[in-house]
Amino acid sequence: MKTINFAIDLGTTNSLIANYNNGAVKIYNNPLGLKQTLPSCVAFRGNRTIIGDKALDYLEKDAENVCMLFKRKMGTQETYFIPSTNKEMSPIDLSSLILKELKNFVTDTDQLQTAVITIPASFDTIQSNATKKAGYLAGFKEVVLLQEPIAACLAFANQSNLDIETSKNWIVYDFGGGTFDVALVEVNDRELKVIDNEGDNFLGGADFDNLIVEKIIVPKIEANANITNLWKDIKSKSSRYKGLYFELLKKAEEAKKELSVYPETEIEIDIDIKDDNIFEQIVITRAEFEAVITPKVEQTITFIKKVISQNQLLNSQIERLILIGGSTYVPLIKQRIKEETGILVDSSIDPTSAVVDGAAYFAGSKPTTIETEKTIVVEEESSIDTQIFYEQNTRDLEELITCKVSGTDLKYRVTRTDGGYDSGIKIIQNGGFAEFVPLLKGQLNQFKIQVLDQQLNPLKTINTIAINQGSYNVLGQPLPIDICMEVDDIDASVTRLEQIFRKGSILPLKKKIYKTASKTILKDSDANLIINIVEGQSKGLPSSGLSIGYIEFSGKDLEEDLIKGTDIEIELEITESRDLKINVYLQACDQEFKNVFSQSERTISISKINMEINAVLSDVEYLIKEQVEEENFEYSNKLEQLRVGLIEIQIETTLLNDDDVSDKKYQLDDQKRKLIQTFDTLTRNKVVALEIEEYNISKDSLEWEVNKEENEKYRPKYLKVIANEKEVINSGDKYLIRAKIKELDVLFNSIIQSSDENFISYFFGLKYTSGFTDTKKADKLMKQGDEAIERKDYKSLKHIVYALYALLPDREKEKQKQFKDDSKTGLR
Ligand code: ADP
Ligand code: MG
């Protein structure tokens, strides 16, 4: 078995590459500057592309042709226009340049075809896929993704060589340049498992730099030079202060690093503003710096508390909190975490290289699917098929190797390559064997298996088995967010999310689900069916989630009509590296759509953010009014906070130019999604309570009907519907409850409609309804109805009632739960 061995930390600010070899990790040095990190920065000078530290130097001279912090925009459609080449570069293009440059660090092999690349735990599927694309673009034949906090834990566990007897909880706090992640990890004597994670893709050390510029440097310049609006001006692409924003950011970063060591620092400003040259020395104190970053630091602590409490843990149950990421050098961070949580804060591993180090251990245990020419030759030589199973990393001193072998009358022999163990020649029985092998402590143990014939001629030799004693293993990478499919809701006027894979499930995942077509799609027609896969809370509003792709079929793609009610078989698969594959099989048409999934990228338009906020705002405002009337002030206050939050985002969007070059748009979109999620959570209980109320009303009226002597035959059906009532109500899932209500109503309607006489009360109910779409026609029908009742002609009355229904406005139809066939997705 050949393992991947190479690992890359593709960081927002700094990237690193390492190799795993015989139980040891080697982090490669940047040939320029003799340090391990490569700044994730690219500069373009005509035909030349400059990467890393040299590129950073160009920020001051020619910031327009320098790209950095692009990891924050991975998975978006935003591109960077490079004036010097007159070309657009995507975040994927830029990332691939960083990866190519890292490949140049590796001079001791030409076998660098596959690598583990790390991603923040909070990266969604689109961002993960974008990272992989960058890898392939850089020439890798295989890319495996690993979440950064897992990598950090592996580094810590393997470096500190702890002996962990009982299971422990750790927290990894990763505060880098552009992303913040906190992960809760369970560690036992052999493996690590991420239980939960929280984070923010738009929170990092770069925000500190930005705050220093916005809140400290710019106000000081404005005061001294007697100008206003400098902040807005320097951020705009079309601004005449070209590059000044980046220049000030660089100075701010230097100041920030100084302030991690000294109580104050000084920066020099030399710029031209409105034809005046401004030259100043600006002193920044640690207290000033801490004052502006405090809200961000507190935000990170809220995430720590959240991840602990949502897993029903106490702070005392967290054994240690491991700090990684360059921003954790800021003393305030360590201090505030200690003060606020009382957890042991561990800063023993190098915050910059921890991720690549751990990722290399992982790479050392991950088999590669890329076959070198040599192994292919071995396969061709032998007619014997073998399948071998064993743990690649273990804390035990003995491991089991099991092997399935094709062929009969064979023998085997297992030896350790250092000569310390030999199984002797044994007979293979029942198509295989299992052998316990002893391991050397703290080393990579390599074994050779030989399959021999009766005359002891070797038929096949496998010498790629490597077991690393003393290393921790990763149990699996969890899915950070639910993956759902958008389906039509019961009444089809809205859609809802149906969970397919649950947050925390260990990748890879595969599932076959059966859906029903909720509308008919005729062959060659324009009608369509949409399969939209959304990443987000399954009980949430579809707009609070992130669409990670969809398949759309229209009648033009079909070979036969797709009839409403027929089965649609959908198979979904997510690999460990977050590839999403969908196979759709339409049973009625006997037609299959394979791998037709198209990846969506993330587009963010300011007007779209505004529109979505407006839609939710009206609901929020309506609820506030209602709650205030009911004197439910605690609840209305929470809603009021939400309302303010949403309006703040709206105001901020109006301050943004469409060509804004900062990350503000993405930050605002993220904030918007989070607020809508909160709204969803806040209102869910209320919505569920309303559904339960409605359920009881429907049940009461049905019960009343069933209790009538003539309806006795419906009782078994009724009992069947309410059989799992408790379970449904306790689920707190409004969709399940609503489905139950629908069942009750269907039964109610069929009882009512089974007897023409029942239409009398219906008819009288309709008489007191107002707002018919055609009052003249309605009046006429009313008159006919009255006459029919007089004649006791209930058959005609029935038809009159139906006709009146059709004249009801939509709002009333909704109340009467009339079935509407205006499905959205075509799936139910
Ligand atoms: P990433 O993983 O996002 O690439 P790193 O973990 O390398 O980032 O951290 C980079 C961030 O750490 C940058 O914002 C940098 O300014 C910050 N940083 C590095 N050293 C220090 C320091 N001594 N004090 C404060 N911040 C620092
Ligand atoms: Mg990092």
Side-chain angles (χ1 to χ4, degrees):
M1 185 197 63
K2 212 170 138 25
T3 45
I4 294 177
N5 295 342
F6 283 96
I8 291 173
D9 173 1
L10 183 59
T12 317
T13 349
N14 293 306
S15 298
L16 298 91
I17 185 165
N19 175 244
Y20 175 92
N21 188 14
N22 272 348
V25 171
K26 165 176 164 188
I27 301 174
Y28 286 93
N29 262 340
N30 186 342
L32 299 170
L34 293 174
K35 53 173 193 170
Q36 295 172 332
T37 51
L38 172 73
S40 308
C41 181
V42 186
F44 298 89
R45 312 279 301 160
N47 288 333
R48 276 198 313 141
T49 305
I50 301 135
I51 295 157
D53 288 290
K54 275 249 160 66
L56 276 178
D57 291 343
Y58 280 106
L59 268 179
E60 279 144 86
K61 294 174 233 161
D62 186 20
E64 279 208 310
N65 289 304
V66 182
C67 301
M68 58 193 287
L69 296 179
F70 36 83
K71 181 174 174 181
R72 281 181 156 186
K73 288 179 183 166
M74 275 306 241
T76 72
Q77 283 171 341
E78 189 125 337
T79 55
Y80 294 74
F81 176 70
I82 318 292
S84 117
T85 57
N86 201 23
K87 274 192 192 133
E88 300 275 345
M89 299 287 284
S90 70
I92 294 178
D93 295 332
L94 293 163
S95 301
S96 82
L97 291 174
I98 299 293
L99 293 171
K100 276 188 194 156
E101 182 70 6
L102 286 172
K103 278 171 115 179
N104 290 337
F105 288 20
V106 180
T107 45
D108 53 3
T109 175
D110 52 4
Q111 290 290 308
L112 183 47
Q113 298 189 58
T114 161
V116 167
I117 301 180
T118 60
I119 50 167
S122 53
F123 253 25
D124 56 48
T125 305
I126 295 173
Q127 294 168 310
S128 306
N129 284 334
T131 306
K132 273 199 308 191
K133 259 194 209 165
Y136 295 127
L137 207 60
F140 287 105
K141 298 217 173 81
E142 179 186 42
V143 173
V144 170
L145 300 179
L146 176 69
Q147 293 171 337
E148 285 158 15
I150 305 187
C153 273
L154 275 176
F156 180 78
N158 286 325
Q159 278 181 25
S160 56
N161 213 2
L162 296 172
D163 261 329
I164 298 155
E165 304 278 301
T166 53
S167 161
K168 300 253 158 60
N169 296 309
W170 290 349
I171 280 182
V172 178
Y173 176 101
D174 180 356
F175 204 168
T179 48
F180 170 73
D181 275 304
V182 47
L184 175 66
V185 183
E186 190 186 287
V187 199
N188 62 30
D189 62 343
R190 44 192 303 140
E191 60 205 358
L192 304 164
K193 188 173 148 194
V194 173
I195 306 292
D196 198 3
N197 63 73
E198 281 291 335
D200 192 331
N201 282 351
F202 286 95
L203 180 58
D207 291 308
F208 292 176
D209 308 341
N210 204 61
L211 283 167
I212 294 175
V213 178
E214 182 185 356
K215 306 267 194 240
I216 302 176
I217 302 178
V218 166
K220 286 190 184 190
I221 298 176
E222 283 183 338
N224 292 353
N226 206 9
I227 47 168
T228 51
N229 262 338
L230 180 61
W231 174 240
K232 203 177 166 190
D233 285 349
I234 64 172
K235 278 200 319 160
S236 166
K237 240 182 204 169
S238 51
S239 142
R240 52 208 205 93
Y241 307 119
K242 285 197 172 90
L244 178 59
Y245 174 53
F246 300 102
E247 195 180 322
L248 292 179
L249 277 180
K250 197 175 178 195
K251 292 204 190 275
E253 191 190 6
E254 282 162 14
K256 173 184 74 177
K257 288 184 181 168
E258 291 257 309
L259 290 173
S260 289
V261 190
Y262 305 108
E264 72 172 47
T265 181
E266 195 177 75
I267 56 170
E268 235 169 51
I269 301 287
D270 184 2
I271 48 173
D272 291 325
I273 289 174
K274 296 201 174 137
D275 308 325
D276 278 339
N277 177 263
I278 295 182
F279 180 80
E280 305 179 32
Q281 316 267 6
I282 294 180
V283 174
I284 303 174
T285 67
R286 189 185 283 176
E288 275 176 304
F289 170 60
E290 290 182 344
V292 298
I293 63 161
T294 292
K296 298 276 177 203
V297 175
E298 297 306 313
Q299 216 176 322
T300 68
I301 294 172
T302 315
F303 279 117
I304 301 178
K305 290 181 177 166
K306 189 173 173 204
V307 88
I308 295 174
S309 67
Q310 76 194 7
N311 288 282
Q312 288 80 43
L313 289 170
L314 299 170
N315 291 6
S316 56
Q317 288 171 286
I318 307 296
E319 197 216 17
R320 68 182 70 225
L321 184 145
I322 300 164
L323 293 184
I324 61 158
S327 296
T328 59
Y329 280 118
V330 173
L332 179 71
I333 290 178
K334 199 169 173 178
Q335 178 202 325
R336 288 296 297 139
I337 298 175
K338 270 191 197 156
E339 282 168 3
E340 277 292 312
T341 67
I343 302 169
L344 169 77
V345 179
D346 189 322
S347 51
S348 63
I349 47 170
D350 184 307
T352 308
S353 62
V355 166
V356 81
D357 185 80
Y361 279 104
F362 181 75
S365 74
K366 243 345 296 138
T368 167
T369 53
I370 306 290
E371 293 192 349
T372 54
E373 280 156 32
K374 249 194 220 150
T375 52
I376 293 167
V377 174
V378 171
E379 291 291 316
E380 277 172 358
E381 248 176 21
S382 172
S383 58
I384 307 261
D385 268 340
T386 48
Q387 264 183 298
I388 303 165
F389 308 92
Y390 61 95
E391 292 264 0
Q392 290 144 29
N393 287 303
T394 182
R395 307 277 300 163
D396 296 336
L397 283 169
E398 196 181 52
E399 266 305 322
L400 184 70
I401 300 178
T402 54
C403 185
K404 278 193 201 167
V405 186
S406 70
T408 45
D409 289 337
L410 299 171
K411 296 186 176 187
Y412 75 93
R413 180 180 185 179
V414 183
T415 49
R416 204 170 68 202
T417 47
D418 65 305
Y421 167 78
D422 188 343
S423 69
I425 295 167
K426 295 183 178 174
I427 295 168
I428 297 180
Q429 284 170 327
N430 305 324
F433 65 88
E435 197 70 47
F436 271 107
V437 295
L439 302 173
L440 293 170
K441 209 173 172 176
Q443 287 189 31
L444 185 82
N445 293 262
Q446 283 176 301
F447 293 89
K448 183 165 95 175
I449 294 178
Q450 282 182 303
V451 180
L452 314 158
D453 66 12
Q454 289 299 328
Q455 288 74 45
L456 304 186
N457 298 313
L459 297 177
K460 184 167 185 175
T461 302
I462 302 132
N463 50 17
T464 47
I465 296 161
I467 300 177
N468 197 4
Q469 202 286 333
S471 281
Y472 284 88
N473 206 352
V474 177
L475 190 61
Q477 301 193 62
L479 199 62
I481 322 171
D482 287 343
I483 303 276
C484 310
M485 180 151 64
E486 188 175 5
V487 296
D488 286 347
D489 198 3
I490 302 298
D491 62 10
S493 61
V494 284
T495 61
R496 65 183 174 93
L497 296 181
E498 185 174 297
Q499 187 185 67
I500 299 167
F501 299 118
R502 218 186 38 229
K503 170 179 175 168
S505 311
I506 301 296
L507 297 166
L509 293 161
K510 193 172 182 173
K511 202 176 209 171
K512 199 181 258 182
I513 49 176
Y514 294 92
K515 297 266 94 191
T516 313
S518 62
K519 63 179 171 193
T520 296
I521 300 176
L522 296 176
K523 181 173 183 272
D524 294 329
S525 73
D526 282 329
N528 59 355
L529 182 132
I530 292 170
I531 295 177
N532 185 24
I533 304 299
V534 176
E535 197 169 60
Q537 244 208 352
S538 59
K539 288 176 185 168
L541 295 168
S543 75
S544 70
L546 185 72
S547 169
I548 55 173
Y550 66 92
I551 303 180
E552 193 176 337
F553 308 114
S554 81
K556 301 214 162 54
D557 302 310
L558 298 179
E559 283 157 20
E560 305 260 353
D561 299 342
L562 177 69
I563 308 295
K564 178 172 167 175
T566 52
D567 274 353
I568 301 172
E569 188 182 298
I570 303 169
E571 191 172 58
L572 293 122
E573 193 180 341
I574 303 189
T575 66
E576 192 169 27
S577 293
R578 310 270 281 279
D579 280 323
L580 179 62
K581 282 185 209 156
I582 305 181
N583 283 347
V584 182
Y585 178 62
L586 306 176
Q587 288 190 345
C589 324
D590 190 22
Q591 204 175 340
E592 194 167 23
F593 295 83
K594 260 197 164 170
N595 296 334
V596 274
F597 187 73
S598 71
Q599 279 176 13
S600 18
E601 280 181 331
R602 207 163 149 199
T603 352
I604 289 175
S605 87
I606 294 171
S607 62
K608 183 170 161 272
I609 297 178
N610 255 318
M611 234 165 59
E612 285 173 342
I613 290 180
N614 276 334
V616 175
L617 258 184
S618 61
D619 284 352
V620 176
E621 278 161 3
Y622 178 82
L623 259 181
I624 291 177
K625 220 174 107 204
E626 190 187 86
Q627 295 301 310
V628 168
E629 273 166 20
E630 287 176 22
E631 300 189 12
N632 212 342
F633 295 118
E634 199 187 324
Y635 190 54
S636 69
N637 276 342
K638 279 188 191 155
L639 290 167
E640 181 59 30
Q641 279 174 18
L642 258 177
R643 191 180 78 91
V644 171
L646 287 167
I647 291 177
E648 272 171 6
I649 297 178
Q650 263 189 335
I651 294 173
E652 290 202 54
T653 57
T654 59
L655 296 176
L656 277 188
N657 300 334
D658 248 336
D659 62 352
D660 192 275
V661 286
S662 66
D663 286 328
K664 203 76 205 176
K665 246 196 295 189
Y666 300 97
Q667 285 170 351
L668 290 178
D669 186 65
D670 259 27
Q671 284 168 13
K672 174 219 78 187
R673 277 200 295 140
K674 278 180 189 151
L675 284 180
I676 295 182
Q677 277 161 17
T678 313
F679 174 64
D680 222 22
T681 321
L682 262 183
T683 51
R684 188 168 306 135
N685 287 340
K686 193 180 146 56
V687 171
V688 168
L690 284 176
E691 294 292 343
I692 293 175
E693 206 174 294
E694 204 179 324
Y695 174 86
N696 285 327
I697 293 171
S698 289
K699 189 185 162 191
D700 284 348
S701 30
L702 178 59
E703 208 168 50
W704 199 74
E705 288 298 325
V706 171
N707 282 340
K708 287 180 184 166
E709 215 176 300
E710 69 267 26
N711 291 334
E712 187 53 36
K713 60 174 186 291
Y714 290 100
R715 184 169 298 280
K717 271 193 185 161
Y718 167 67
L719 292 176
K720 202 174 151 202
V721 174
I722 62 163
N724 63 345
E725 159 188 86
K726 256 214 176 86
E727 204 179 303
V728 170
I729 286 179
N730 289 342
S731 73
D733 184 337
K734 64 176 179 186
Y735 301 112
L736 278 182
I737 302 172
R738 210 184 298 169
K740 254 305 128 182
I741 297 174
K742 176 91 180 164
E743 277 183 61
L744 291 172
D745 290 345
V746 166
L747 185 58
F748 179 83
N749 284 340
S750 61
I751 294 178
I752 292 290
Q753 290 173 19
S754 67
S755 157
D756 297 340
E757 281 165 55
N758 281 330
F759 282 80
I760 302 174
S761 55
Y762 250 7
F763 177 69
F764 282 115
L766 283 171
K767 269 184 101 166
Y768 295 104
T769 310
S770 54
F772 286 102
T773 47
D774 182 341
T775 39
K776 228 171 159 182
K777 202 167 168 190
D779 283 345
K780 203 172 152 199
L781 284 166
M782 294 285 184
K783 224 170 125 208
Q784 287 176 352
D786 284 334
E787 288 163 11
I789 290 174
E790 230 162 86
R791 286 197 313 271
K792 295 202 160 89
D793 176 4
Y794 302 130
K795 236 191 176 87
S796 301
L797 181 66
K798 192 171 166 179
H799 294 295
I800 292 165
V801 166
Y802 281 138
L804 279 168
Y805 259 138
L807 295 179
L808 279 177
D810 283 349
R811 171 171 45 87
E812 285 295 323
K813 277 185 186 157
E814 204 82 56
K815 267 196 211 159
Q816 313 275 359
K817 299 194 192 78
Q818 275 295 89
F819 180 69
K820 290 198 303 182
D821 189 18
D822 58 351
S823 117
K824 296 272 185 292
T825 60
L827 290 176
R828 189 168 295 150

